[in-house]
Amino acid sequence: DAKTTQPPSMDCAEGRAANLPCNHSTISGNEYVYWYRQIHSQGPQYIIHGLKNNETNEMASLIITEDRKSSTLILPHATLRDTAVYYCIVRVADYGGSQGNLIFGKGTKLSVKP
Amino acid sequence: DVKVTQSSRYLVKRTGEKVFLECVQDMDHENMFWYRQDPGLGLRLIYFSYDVKMKEKGDIPEGYSVSREKKERFSLILESASTNQTSMYLCASSSTGTLAKNIQYFGAGTRLSVL
């Protein structure tokens, strides 16, 4: 799997957009970008995923650069409840067997401040 | 709404005890996973199941076993708990659809302390 690089921490003011970057310069053509987050003392939560087009859902938007070497997760109006560790994961979609496990790196600790 | 339920949020056990961690999902998912999460080590896969009665070892299966008698339930068993098994245990499930394989839904976690 392609390696990802994320800043260890970021701050964001409440109500402002939070833009979380992820570098994945060795991504392969069949690898997707997935984002999860983990709020303190809870299990990880799936946010969004994409291949090459930008994606949006009720939680966030995912912007993937044209060369696919980096992406940005956007939380359009961050709230205090968005304070969490955000993980960017690059994976081939179709994994079978125990290779289907997700490999979480260190992620970005996002602190949303009032 | 998708739901993965772990039987306990916090558990305290003594060394040598047999410990059962239960996980139930209501999404009719084929795949279920047990991870443990430790500071600085991230999530590590213990066991995986892709069908009833089927299981595969993950990266750190030693000291653990699992049981999947029904599709919705996946149990993690610590045969003889040891202090180095003190950790946060996370259960997850996913569907077998191509993209859906990597969309895993997690429970809230069980924080196990072995004294």
Side-chain angles (χ1 to χ4, degrees):
Chain A
D1 299 314
K3 183 180 165 64
T4 62
T5 304
Q6 298 177 254
S9 64
M10 290 181 66
D11 289 341
C12 177
E14 189 178 19
R16 303 295 296 268
N19 297 286
L20 293 101
C22 179
N23 286 322
H24 32 79
S25 58
T26 60
I27 191 169
S28 302
N30 61 348
E31 287 183 311
Y32 285 72
V33 180
Y34 295 82
W35 282 85
Y36 282 74
R37 73 180 182 182
Q38 188 171 22
I39 296 169
H40 182 62
S41 294
Q42 296 185 24
Q45 178 189 22
Y46 165 77
I47 302 172
I48 199 167
H49 74 278
L51 181 63
K52 51 186 174 183
N53 297 323
N54 298 338
E55 302 288 345
T56 295
N57 64 19
E58 65 279 3
M59 288 183 70
S61 294
L62 174 60
I63 308 297
I64 302 175
T65 57
E66 197 168 335
D67 63 8
R68 302 210 323 123
K69 293 186 177 182
S70 65
S71 60
T72 301
L73 178 76
I74 301 172
L75 308 178
H77 305 287
T79 71
L80 299 178
R81 288 181 296 178
D82 292 321
T83 292
V85 179
Y86 287 77
Y87 298 97
C88 168
I89 299 167
V90 171
R91 295 283 284 183
V92 173
D94 190 10
Y95 264 129
S98 62
Q99 291 182 34
N101 66 303
L102 294 172
I103 300 171
F104 288 76
K106 294 191 189 310
T108 296
K109 182 172 171 52
L110 175 69
S111 299
V112 180
K113 299 183 184 298
Chain B
D1 212 12
V2 159
K3 198 151 186 190
V4 177
T5 303
Q6 293 184 230
S7 52
S8 305
R9 287 301 310 272
Y10 301 95
L11 214 49
V12 179
K13 297 292 181 181
R14 296 206 175 275
T15 303
E17 278 192 77
K18 190 169 186 175
V19 181
F20 293 86
L21 302 183
E22 306 285 346
C23 176
V24 176
Q25 51 96 2
D26 65 358
M27 297 160 285
D28 201 36
H29 283 168
E30 294 81 5
N31 306 313
M32 295 188 76
F33 306 80
W34 275 106
Y35 296 86
R36 63 177 282 178
Q37 184 174 29
D38 301 286
L41 297 177
L43 272 75
R44 293 180 290 168
L45 181 68
I46 305 171
Y47 266 99
F48 162 74
S49 170
Y50 55 91
D51 202 351
V52 175
K53 297 192 188 295
M54 307 305 288
K55 62 185 179 186
E56 283 192 27
K57 292 180 180 179
D59 300 319
I60 50 163
E62 297 78 21
Y64 303 95
S65 61
V66 290
S67 171
R68 187 141 182 230
E69 296 296 319
K70 293 185 177 181
K71 191 175 185 181
E72 67 270 18
R73 187 179 298 269
F74 192 33
S75 303
L76 180 70
I77 303 152
L78 286 66
E79 296 290 341
S80 177
S82 64
T83 54
N84 63 13
Q85 292 178 310
T86 291
S87 186
M88 168 75 105
Y89 289 87
L90 291 159
C91 173
S93 73
S94 73
S95 176
T96 53
T98 299
L99 284 177
K101 278 194 176 72
N102 290 334
I103 300 175
Q104 293 186 16
Y105 297 90
F106 286 80
T110 295
R111 189 166 293 282
L112 172 67
S113 296
V114 182
L115 306 177

